[in-house]
Amino acid sequence: MKRKIKKPVYVSHYLVLSDLLIGADVRAKSDVVHYLTSRIENLKMELQNNFGLEFVNGVTKDSTYSYYKPYILEPTPENINRAEELLKRFSTDEVLAFLEQKPNAEDYRESRGSN
């Protein structure tokens, strides 16, 4: 029998923030599969409004069917330091142990009781 995995608080924040810090285009990846969240926009707004991170505005990128606004951290030393401190804060033992198990979206959905 497969053990149900409960997603710890801030695991999605940790995943998104670690990719933002290396310059990855988080909007180009599947929210559910890569970041274990249903709406990455909500994470971005929380990082901005509740944790004080600043994002570059006015940038667009094209995809196969349309244009979208990528999430890019404002590259100021203060903002990058704030992001790195937040990443340390989000990297709790619980989050890191959860990520070591390398759950996939199917395991997560099963643990939430959704199909």
Side-chain angles (χ1 to χ4, degrees), residues 5-23:
I5 300 170
K6 182 177 185 242
K7 183 179 93 166
V9 176
Y10 295 124
V11 73
S12 296
H13 295 69
Y14 175 85
L15 293 168
V16 169
L17 195 52
S18 61
D19 274 1
L20 285 171
L21 281 166
I22 62 169

Side-chain angles (χ1 to χ4, degrees), residues 58-99:
V59 177
T60 58
K61 192 170 182 180
D62 62 334
S63 69
T64 305
Y65 302 104
S66 66
Y67 293 96
Y68 68 94
K69 294 180 180 180
Y71 298 151
I72 302 168
L73 287 173
E74 191 69 53
T76 63
E78 298 85 15
N79 199 49
I80 299 301
N81 286 339
R82 183 177 297 122
E84 289 171 345
E85 288 299 317
L86 278 173
L87 187 63
K88 287 178 191 173
R89 182 172 153 192
F90 295 150
S91 62
T92 64
D93 290 341
E94 186 180 17
V95 166
L96 297 176
F98 177 81
L99 292 174

Side-chain angles (χ1 to χ4, degrees), residues 15-77:
L15 293 168
V16 169
L17 195 52
S18 61
D19 274 1
L20 285 171
L21 281 166
I22 62 169
D25 186 357
V26 297
R27 299 277 317 269
K29 297 179 181 180
S30 168
D31 297 358
V32 173
V33 173
H34 292 281
Y35 301 117
L36 306 176
T37 185
S38 61
R39 294 196 40 95
I40 199 166
E41 293 85 1
N42 294 345
L43 288 177
K44 184 243 184 190
M45 294 307 295
E46 187 175 354
L47 289 171
Q48 187 173 20
N49 297 335
N50 297 349
F51 296 106
L53 291 182
E54 297 175 13
F55 290 83
V56 174
N57 294 314
V59 177
T60 58
K61 192 170 182 180
D62 62 334
S63 69
T64 305
Y65 302 104
S66 66
Y67 293 96
Y68 68 94
K69 294 180 180 180
Y71 298 151
I72 302 168
L73 287 173
E74 191 69 53
T76 63

Side-chain angles (χ1 to χ4, degrees), residues 94-108:
E94 186 180 17
V95 166
L96 297 176
F98 177 81
L99 292 174
E100 280 181 19
Q101 295 177 16
K102 297 181 181 165
N104 61 32
E106 189 66 29
D107 292 335
Y108 176 65

